[in-house]
Amino acid sequence: MIVAHKSADGRLQPLEEHLRNVAEYAKRFSEVFEAGEYAYVLGLAHDIGKYSAEFQEYLLHEGTGGDHSTAGAKELFRLRMLPASLCAAGHHAGLPDGGGPGDPAGLPTWQGRLKKQVHPYAAYRREITLEAVSRPPEANGFRIAFFTRMLFSALVDADFLDTEAFMQSGAVQRGGYASILSLFDALKQYIDPWLHPQGDVNPINRKRTEILKCCLEAGKGKRGLKSLTVPTGGGKTIASLAFALQHAVQHGLSRVIYVIPYTSIIEQTAKVFRAIVGAENVLEYHANVSFDQQGDDDRKTEKLRLSAENWDAPIIVTTSVQFFESLYANRTSRCRKLHNIANSVVIFDEAQMLPVDYLTPCVRAIWELVEMYGITAVLCTATQPSLGKLFPKTAKIEELCPNTQEMFHFFRRTQLKHIGTLTIEKLAGQMAMQTQVLAIVNTRKQAAELYQALPAGGRFHLSTLMTPLMRRWTLRNIRRRLRQGLVCRVVATSLIEAGVDVDFPTVFRAEAGLDSIIQAAGRCNREGKRPVDESAVYIFRTEERIPPRMQQNVSIFKNEIQLSFSDVASLEAIQAYFDALHNLKGDLLDRKKIVDAFERGRNGCMLPFAQVAKEFRLIEENTKSVFIPLGQRAKRLAQRLQQGECSRSLLRKAGRYMVNVYDQHFQELYRANDLVVVADGLAVLTNLRLYDTKGTGLSLEADAGKALFV
């Protein structure tokens, strides 16, 4: 018997069985993008290198083994199935760069691998027949690369699943989620009191219900590219879910995926969804999730942990970073889930937060998923950026709630007022005269200084110098005090702007881009409980230099929008702002020329999968992580980290206690012996005096010297 795997208890899996199982899985996964038969041949070929006598010796008697991936790549290349050949070559180490015809045999590119000498594997012909499956040729290099990556995802997931089933004797139970139809029934039950109210309904809730009905009706429409432009307070979270589930039922789509810029919004959104459809049907996927904390039912938690590997849950809530970086990744672990994006509804919440430097590759990926992989994409925001011109001219963006202008007027809750320059002391003085007030500044340095200048009673601070766990606790306390009418003066960085559900009578916002200012206004009079003329958002200039990353945005707002529009919060002003921002950036909307790398190659290399995967980083700040070991649970995790444990599960649990700092701050703390490094870019704080649990979080003033703030 030719063997594929040997289990710990000595059981053997026939190689033919493994190849046919993987082929069937890959076929099923790829049928949604019309590549089932093509993927089937890839599945049959991917491991034929294991037919070599040397690999069998390795597997059964601990011999040397050697490369078993290149054989499948060679055979698929012989059949002229080039994308499949690339996938076979990379199904363990990751998709390689395509390379060029002159690449020597020793080079790790696909072209180099094809010239590599491998152990004889012709024995596969006794059990497996490989016949070519052709696909229409594509002149578009980007489209070829995208297809290759989706095909790679189907193969990798298929390989993992069959191997797991054999090694665990079928003990791992995946799936078993509620159907999309039953989730839609749960949603209808949840929203029924809004659709059929008893008694009087206040005007705000009546308008929210109108938006909800509009989205439900739009869900019956055709698949494609959509937008949902709903002002803050319009209930877009549930309205967009209503559209998504209605649409998924209408068209037989597999799942709903929410793509959100900040983890704080993800946690808030996932909590709402769990209340509607049940916690076991919602996968919240980001660095701060610990699957042992999502519920008391170990079976349900284990199911979500498994779903994190390949996104087979019916509702996924994840970050923009995770979503887009995975679409341009080449590693097996990052790509495994991609095929499950096909045939889904994907909601891009807070779409205005898509990073400008990567806007073209992000938009290109969205359109490719819409046009070739059967998704319906919804650009969902309170301040719709002018993305339409970045899509192909053939793309039609349908607005789910067409009466956008009326909605903006109705949900207008604030007045924007520019009040000139304020020092930290003057701003603190103005805030001290307010019982409940929020100030949003541009740097963590300003936030810390302003917080210290406020009266001690009822003051709060929110920034990324606090652990996610501390930020969550602080937000809970802020919301409680706001509800109870207690003194609540909050200083925050921009992390509070996008989607964080708080409602202040007065907001101060340091000069920023118009999108940030509008988002800040969404934290003022959010529920419309106060008259508009008593709900002010004060825009002020600081004495500190505008951070470089914001300078162009601020310049456009000051020099174009403020000078041209009496109402800078109007839809027309928002459109003009984003048009100017995108025109200003020009070619810099794809600063690293990601799309061009696949269209034309890079450095003589065709299809540079590995190169692009290294370069495509939505968050490029040179930061390192500091673990804060406060509390018994955190101390136990710190002990495991210091003992050298570095599993993905451990790091996910530890994420709730992490603070990310710039490299110069990390080095300052290290030189002062305030932390101990446990891995590359990760340290445990040893001087706990530097972490203020009731205020600003991690101080960047090391005991041995003064660190810098950014």
Side-chain angles (χ1 to χ4, degrees):
M1 180 174 66
I2 305 295
V3 177
H5 299 111
K6 181 179 179 180
S7 68
D9 59 1
R11 291 178 298 107
L12 302 176
Q13 182 185 29
L15 180 51
E16 181 185 3
E17 174 187 289
H18 174 62
L19 295 179
R20 295 193 186 280
N21 288 348
V22 170
E24 289 292 347
Y25 271 126
K27 177 182 178 181
R28 175 157 56 88
F29 295 156
S30 302
E31 281 175 340
V32 295
F33 49 91
E34 299 180 354
E37 295 299 329
Y38 192 92
Y40 185 86
V41 177
L42 169 59
L44 286 180
H46 82 286
D47 263 358
I48 61 173
K50 290 184 177 182
Y51 278 96
S52 73
E54 289 78 5
F55 192 87
Q56 291 299 304
E57 176 69 17
Y58 157 74
L59 197 62
L60 298 173
H61 306 294
E62 300 183 0
T64 56
D67 173 8
H68 72 271
S69 301
T70 300
K74 284 173 173 284
E75 290 301 306
L76 290 164
F77 178 74
R78 182 179 60 80
L79 297 174
R80 311 310 298 164
M81 297 175 65
L82 306 191
S85 177
L86 269 156
C87 293
H91 79 270
H92 281 294
L95 278 171
D97 286 338
D103 290 357
L107 218 59
T109 64
W110 175 58
Q111 293 276 5
R113 292 277 296 278
L114 291 175
K115 297 171 185 174
K116 180 181 177 182
Q117 293 297 316
V118 296
H119 296 304
Y121 56 88
Y124 86 85
R125 295 191 179 98
R126 293 198 294 267
E127 297 184 335
I128 296 294
T129 300
L130 297 178
E131 296 181 354
V133 173
S134 62
R135 288 181 59 80
E138 292 284 358
N140 182 328
F142 182 88
R143 179 154 291 174
I144 294 171
F146 210 95
F147 171 74
T148 302
R149 203 178 284 105
M150 294 295 277
L151 186 69
F152 181 64
S153 167
L155 171 66
V156 168
D157 195 22
D159 196 15
F160 272 119
L161 289 175
D162 184 64
T163 303
E164 174 187 81
F166 171 73
M167 291 297 193
Q168 302 297 328
S169 299
V172 177
Q173 297 298 312
R174 292 175 176 266
Y177 299 102
S179 68
I180 289 290
L181 181 59
S182 63
L183 298 186
F184 186 45
D185 288 340
L187 172 78
K188 288 191 289 186
Q189 185 176 351
Y190 185 87
I191 64 177
D192 186 70
W194 305 345
L195 299 178
H196 305 96
Q198 303 295 319
D200 293 336
V201 178
N202 68 51
I204 291 179
N205 285 337
R206 189 159 52 243
K207 189 62 72 173
R208 287 172 177 162
T209 301
E210 183 182 323
I211 293 170
L212 178 61
K213 289 179 177 178
C214 194
C215 286
L216 281 168
E217 186 61 31
K220 300 173 185 177
K222 294 180 180 179
R223 295 156 77 162
L225 185 59
K226 318 286 181 179
S227 63
L228 177 58
T229 310
V230 173
T232 298
K236 66 182 171 69
T237 298
I238 292 180
S240 61
L241 180 65
F243 165 80
L245 289 175
Q246 170 77 79
H247 196 68
V249 168
Q250 186 79 17
H251 296 285
L253 305 184
S254 304
R255 59 189 44 83
V256 175
I257 302 173
Y258 268 75
V259 181
I260 300 176
Y262 294 129
T263 55
S264 56
I265 316 173
I266 290 178
E267 291 164 352
Q268 185 174 289
T269 302
K271 183 178 179 181
V272 172
F273 291 169
R274 290 188 192 107
I276 297 172
V277 301
E280 68 277 10
N281 295 307
V282 180
L283 172 64
E284 179 184 344
Y285 189 79
H286 55 85
N288 298 331
V289 171
S290 175
F291 290 104
D292 63 349
Q293 297 296 310
Q294 289 201 357
D296 297 327
D297 189 325
D298 289 340
R299 187 186 64 79
K300 292 178 180 177
T301 301
E302 174 66 4
K303 188 166 67 170
L304 289 172
R305 184 190 69 77
L306 292 170
S307 181
E309 297 173 351
N310 66 350
W311 284 13
D312 63 348
I315 296 182
I316 313 286
V317 189
T318 191
T319 62
S320 305
V321 170
Q322 177 63 231
F323 186 85
F324 286 108
E325 288 189 1
S326 293
L327 284 171
Y328 286 98
N330 76 318
R331 307 298 293 182
T332 56
S333 58
R334 295 298 296 272
C335 291
R336 180 179 176 182
K337 56 185 169 286
L338 297 183
H339 70 90
N340 275 327
I341 297 175
N343 203 44
S344 299
V345 183
V346 185
I347 309 289
F348 296 94
D349 197 16
E350 306 295 349
Q352 80 282 352
M353 299 298 294
L354 288 176
V356 173
D357 288 346
Y358 291 91
L359 203 52
T360 297
C362 286
V363 166
R364 187 71 178 267
I366 293 171
W367 180 242
E368 193 70 12
L369 287 168
V370 169
E371 192 170 41
M372 302 302 296
Y373 297 92
I375 80 160
T376 287
V378 183
L379 307 173
C380 184
T381 177
T383 56
Q384 194 67 249
S386 53
L387 295 180
K389 64 181 182 180
L390 300 179
F391 285 94
K393 292 180 180 179
T394 55
K396 305 296 182 184
I397 304 179
E398 178 190 352
E399 173 60 45
L400 301 184
C401 287
N403 53 343
T404 305
Q405 193 81 42
E406 177 197 338
M407 293 296 178
F408 263 76
H409 285 303
F410 180 87
F411 282 102
R412 189 68 173 265
R413 297 282 171 261
T414 62
Q415 289 186 327
L416 300 182
K417 300 179 180 180
H418 203 297
I419 55 174
T421 302
L422 288 180
T423 63
I424 291 293
E425 292 72 22
K426 286 183 178 179
L427 177 55
Q430 292 204 26
M431 291 180 68
M433 292 188 290
Q434 309 272 348
T435 303
Q436 296 186 337
V437 61
L438 167 66
I440 303 173
V441 292
N442 292 327
T443 67
R444 299 187 296 190
K445 173 182 181 293
Q446 288 178 327
E449 290 178 351
L450 180 56
Y451 172 82
Q452 296 296 345
L454 288 172
R459 67 178 178 180
F460 295 92
H461 167 275
L462 283 168
S463 84
T464 53
L465 289 176
M466 303 156 69
T467 65
L469 200 62
M470 182 178 172
R471 291 202 300 269
R472 193 182 308 165
W473 176 88
T474 303
L475 271 169
R476 235 183 350 245
N477 207 6
I478 288 169
R479 291 183 179 115
R480 177 183 61 81
R481 294 181 73 91
L482 288 173
R483 283 195 308 270
Q484 296 175 356
L486 302 174
V487 173
C488 188
R489 304 184 183 102
V490 178
V491 180
T493 54
S494 60
L495 66 84
I496 201 172
E497 286 177 348
V500 179
D501 188 6
V502 289
D503 186 357
F504 288 86
T506 303
V507 171
F508 289 86
R509 182 50 168 110
E511 278 187 335
L514 179 58
D515 49 340
S516 291
I517 290 170
I518 299 296
Q519 290 295 321
R523 308 318 118 200
C524 180
N525 196 22
R526 187 177 180 87
E527 295 299 321
K529 296 176 181 177
R530 294 169 292 275
V532 173
D533 57 4
E534 295 178 14
S535 304
V537 176
Y538 296 109
I539 305 163
F540 63 94
R541 188 176 300 112
T542 69
E543 296 178 311
E544 199 172 78
R545 187 171 62 91
I546 298 288
R549 69 182 187 279
M550 301 178 62
Q551 286 174 359
Q552 285 183 331
N553 303 61
V554 173
S555 176
I556 291 171
F557 174 64
K558 290 167 59 177
N559 300 327
E560 297 188 37
I561 305 305
Q562 279 189 307
L563 295 178
S564 303
F565 295 90
S566 57
D567 180 7
V568 298
S570 67
L571 283 174
E572 293 78 12
I574 293 169
Q575 178 77 28
Y577 170 79
F578 280 109
D579 280 343
L581 182 62
H582 296 164
N583 288 336
L584 180 67
K585 291 285 184 177
D587 290 340
L588 295 181
L589 297 178
D590 187 1
R591 185 166 58 87
K592 293 191 175 179
K593 301 189 182 303
I594 300 295
V595 173
D596 186 71
F598 289 118
E599 295 284 18
R600 305 185 185 190
R602 176 170 292 176
N603 302 322
C605 174
M606 58 178 283
L607 299 175
F609 289 108
Q611 292 181 50
V612 166
K614 288 180 182 178
E615 294 180 3
F616 192 90
R617 291 288 182 268
L618 296 195
I619 299 177
E620 295 192 79
E621 296 171 338
N622 184 21
T623 61
K624 295 184 177 180
S625 298
V626 178
F627 182 86
I628 313 297
L630 287 169
Q632 290 305 310
R633 183 184 295 273
K635 288 177 181 176
R636 288 194 294 270
L637 293 174
Q639 188 176 36
R640 292 168 64 185
L641 288 169
Q642 289 177 270
Q643 289 171 347
E645 186 177 344
C646 198
S647 67
R648 187 182 305 172
S649 173
L650 175 60
L651 293 177
R652 190 172 290 279
K653 294 172 186 175
R656 302 189 306 155
Y657 305 93
M658 298 279 199
V659 172
N660 290 329
V661 299
Y662 292 102
D663 184 62
Q664 66 266 33
H665 306 151
F666 188 91
Q667 297 302 331
E668 185 79 19
L669 294 169
Y670 176 72
R671 286 192 293 270
N673 294 317
D674 290 327
L675 50 77
V676 56
V677 176
V678 296
D680 184 30
L682 172 61
V684 174
L685 186 70
T686 53
N687 183 0
L688 295 181
R689 294 191 304 272
L690 292 178
Y691 193 86
D692 179 6
T693 58
K694 297 182 179 179
T696 54
L698 180 63
S699 169
L700 297 181
E701 292 209 9
D703 280 357
K706 191 170 184 178
L708 300 172
F709 282 97
V710 174

